Amino acid sequence: MEKKLLALLCLISVESLFSQENQFKILNANTAEAVENVSVSTASVVIAVSNESGVFRINTEDLPGRFKLSALGYEPLEINLEAGNEVQEIYIYPSSEDLSEVIVRSTMIPKNLREVPAAVNLITQTDFNRTDATNVLETFNNVPGIFVNQGALNTNKINIRGIGARSQYSTNRIQAYFDGIPLTTAEGELTLDDFDQESLDRIEVIKGPTSSIYGAGLGGSINLYSKGLGREEAKAGFTSQFGSFNTQKQVFQASNTTRNSSLYATFTNLSSDGYRDNGNYDRKSALVNGTLKTSENGSLSYLANFTRLKAFIPSSINEDDFLNNPETAAFTWGQSQGYESYDRGMLGGSYTHLLFDNFTNTTSIFLSFRDAYEPRPFDILKEERVSAGVRTKFNLDTRILELPSEISFGAEYYNEWYETGTFENLYEDFPGEGSVLGERESNNEQDRNYANFFAQINLEFTEKWNLEAGFNVNSTNYSLTDLYTQDEVNQTGDYGFDAVFSPRIGTSYEVGEGKNIYASISHGFSTPTVAETLTPEGQINTSLEPETGINYEAGFKGNWLQNKLYTEISVFSIQIDNLLVAQRVAEDQYVGVNAGKTNHNGIEFLTNYRFLVNPGISIKPYINGAINFFEFDEFINNDQDFSGNELPGVPKYTMNLGVDVQSDSGFEFYGNFRNVGEIPLDDANSGYTDQYSLVNLKAGYTFNVFQDLNFNIYGGINNALDEHYAASVLTNAVGFGGASPRYYYPGNPRNYFGGIQLNYIF
């Protein structure tokens, strides 16, 4: 009898040993909070669900093994789990739709998006997935308050709340950074077309004047973030895409992530014949970025990028060609076979160090260059640019008047050397050969530098009410050296602006669980470019002043229906003084004048909803838009009074409706309807574009060829209704020699794309 009892006891002990439960705890990667209702499955069978503490259990007999973790509002995670004696922590990342959980990094002091007293929008992986990936700027049109004029793959200009709309051919008055490295030149010009969404984790956009953080940014700031530490794995990928107009894109990617380091490398080759004549495009770019934890208290991040571009320019056309022959190029651009080409690169590194328990420093250094050649009908432009700088920022967690507080302060110095020269274009003397280099017509050298000193303090009065205040002091000056001695004009001179003080104050209050209201006042400015400071006689106009503006804003951000519904609404008013106006005095010659004031009043809204049809299928409809009331307050130019007129180049409203469908089976679908209102063509409001609507559709299917190799096939239609519309306008165009003004850049007609993607995990 004793032997039987002993045997039974041993059997129970062995069974208990083999059925021992291993505990795992799931945490939000952004907030470190426990995540409940996470399904843990293998071979499509749910074997566990996390409880309110984020904990789930798996029997030892089922380990080791590969499991899939999925939850509403979070990115699915496939992970290898092993047995262990202690609770093992697993981090999962909120999906792009769970906006209230995202920590905003582009503010001086990182904070939960819902609690930031400013209009901040995120462009995430889901936004990237909705498009054909030929131009990252397409994703910006889904952000309320932003409008992108897209003349061609290489002819784009962004305006935020109407600021930057008067730029002729490129984006200005917006500050932009890639992992803390400046992308905006010292003159304020910005080109984002070179970057591919495959290299990005997300983009953060702060709308309205952000000079208290980034210096000369009257319109706002755009911060691009590369992919960083994620799942510990080595991975290689390849994407091949084909589309209408012989558009082709190949992407090669490789990455390796460990607990203490990450390395990502991407090479992209994008080419297209273009919809319009003289519209060929070819761009090759490579990007390498990574992070390295150098010690328990320090980490290093680095970034290197190189782009080689050659893109022909069809330019804008007049109304008759726009209506009847939209595929044609402007006559002189077609005859000269005008194009732009350049090599561009940047290199930078940032080191973050925990100096004390509550005191950190991040210091970045950066270097960039650009070597460009651009044959145009009126001349041939050669440019060389080299920029370098350093930015350092300190963050301190402390208490002020017994209140929990955070303080951030630092400085940035930026220097840019720039040489430009123009030459005769002899294309008319050599018919059919395109542009031919002639005699030199100008040669200038610029040396521009600026320094920013900034500080911000956040005070937490209560758990629900917080206040933040900050300021920036900017100093900008440059020297211009005229190296061309064959004429009688000498443009050599030094020029500087008075120091600009830009304050900001904002507050946020939680009126209910997951619901915040906010209000803020901020100051911004933008300095004139060298071209704007030159008079028709070639002299420097020292009377020009920087544009300045004050932004008044109030809004609401909140969750509803158990965090399934997220909404935002903001109301703003921006008053701009010393408006810089580019007066056209010749075919491609502009001079700048401070000509008046503008009022930028508007309403922006955003709504995202997500629900599960069943545990394996989620549907996420959304709607966002902006209603604009932008007009000249006081504006007299060349004895003409435009006061009260609508601001040209900005639609009266924009609206996006869409739905994203995703399933555990691997099927996904993205549908978007965009409606854009009328756009005034000039200061006199003598003409408008027609309002237009676009429907874009995309579907894909992802499946595993085997455990470590997945395959994605996708396809889509852009402009499915084949709408005829102006994708961009050249404001205040002037016809010379009796020609009609060339206002219009036609948008692409209905076009198709499709591709395949392979990813292998080592």
Side-chain angles (χ1 to χ4, degrees), residues 134 153 241-249 270-274:
T134 55
L153 286 174
Q241 179 176 303
F242 300 86
S244 301
F245 323 122
N246 194 28
T247 302
Q248 302 180 36
K249 183 177 183 180
L270 175 63
S271 63
S272 178
D273 291 343

Side-chain angles (χ1 to χ4, degrees), residues 145-147 158-163 174 205-208 219-222:
I146 295 184
F147 183 71
I158 306 169
N159 74 72
I160 300 179
R161 294 179 170 178
I163 299 172
I174 296 172
V205 182
I206 306 177
K207 296 177 293 188
S221 67
I222 298 173

Side-chain angles (χ1 to χ4, degrees), residues 168-416:
Q168 296 299 311
Y169 305 108
S170 60
T171 298
N172 61 24
R173 290 159 175 75
I174 296 172
Q175 283 294 317
Y177 291 80
F178 194 121
D179 282 351
I181 299 174
L183 300 177
T184 306
T185 70
E187 280 203 305
E189 296 288 333
L190 173 62
T191 301
L192 293 179
D193 319 338
D194 292 345
F195 299 99
D196 294 287
Q197 59 194 47
E198 289 86 358
S199 302
L200 301 175
D201 175 53
R202 72 186 191 197
I203 302 172
E204 296 181 4
V205 182
I206 306 177
K207 296 177 293 188
T210 57
S211 297
S212 63
I213 305 175
Y214 296 110
L218 187 59
S221 67
I222 298 173
N223 285 266
L224 285 67
Y225 293 99
S226 61
K227 294 181 178 178
L229 282 170
R231 303 165 190 170
E232 295 182 24
E233 61 186 17
K235 186 176 180 181
F238 169 71
T239 303
S240 182
Q241 179 176 303
F242 300 86
S244 301
F245 323 122
N246 194 28
T247 302
Q248 302 180 36
K249 183 177 183 180
Q250 289 80 39
V251 182
F252 301 87
Q253 290 185 294
S255 65
N256 184 44
T257 302
T258 66
R259 180 179 297 273
N260 295 318
S261 67
S262 67
L263 174 65
Y264 292 84
T266 303
F267 174 80
T268 305
N269 184 13
L270 175 63
S271 63
S272 178
D273 291 343
Y275 162 59
R276 299 176 59 197
D277 297 338
N278 204 57
N280 297 68
Y281 180 93
D282 184 81
R283 174 171 60 82
K284 297 176 175 63
S285 60
L287 187 144
V288 176
N289 69 280
T291 59
L292 177 65
K293 189 172 179 60
T294 57
S295 66
E296 183 178 349
N297 296 325
S299 63
L300 173 70
S301 63
Y302 53 89
L303 172 72
N305 172 253
F306 177 78
T307 299
R308 173 163 289 175
L309 172 77
K310 184 174 183 179
F312 286 81
I313 301 174
S315 195
S316 56
I317 54 178
N318 60 38
E319 184 176 18
D320 182 65
D321 285 335
F322 170 69
L323 295 174
N324 301 297
N325 300 292
E327 72 281 358
T328 61
F331 178 77
T332 54
W333 283 88
Q335 292 295 305
S336 64
Q337 299 175 29
Y339 64 89
E340 68 167 330
S341 64
Y342 57 76
D343 289 341
R344 172 180 170 178
M346 65 178 184
L347 180 69
S350 297
Y351 185 73
T352 299
H353 187 69
L354 179 63
L355 302 173
F356 307 107
D357 289 341
N358 58 350
F359 191 41
T360 60
N361 171 256
T362 299
T363 298
S364 305
I365 57 173
F366 37 85
L367 174 71
S368 63
F369 70 89
R370 184 175 184 270
D371 186 2
Y373 182 79
E374 184 176 348
R376 309 173 294 189
F378 33 84
D379 62 24
I380 295 176
L381 172 67
K382 283 188 175 183
E383 297 176 292
E384 290 184 54
R385 177 184 289 118
V386 178
S387 307
V390 60
R391 180 181 177 93
T392 186
K393 184 181 71 167
F394 295 87
N395 280 62
L396 173 67
D397 289 337
T398 184
R399 298 185 71 87
I400 297 178
L401 301 177
E402 300 303 317
L403 298 175
S405 307
E406 294 179 84
I407 299 174
S408 180
F409 59 92
E412 177 183 34
Y413 176 77
Y414 190 78
N415 177 264
E416 182 174 271

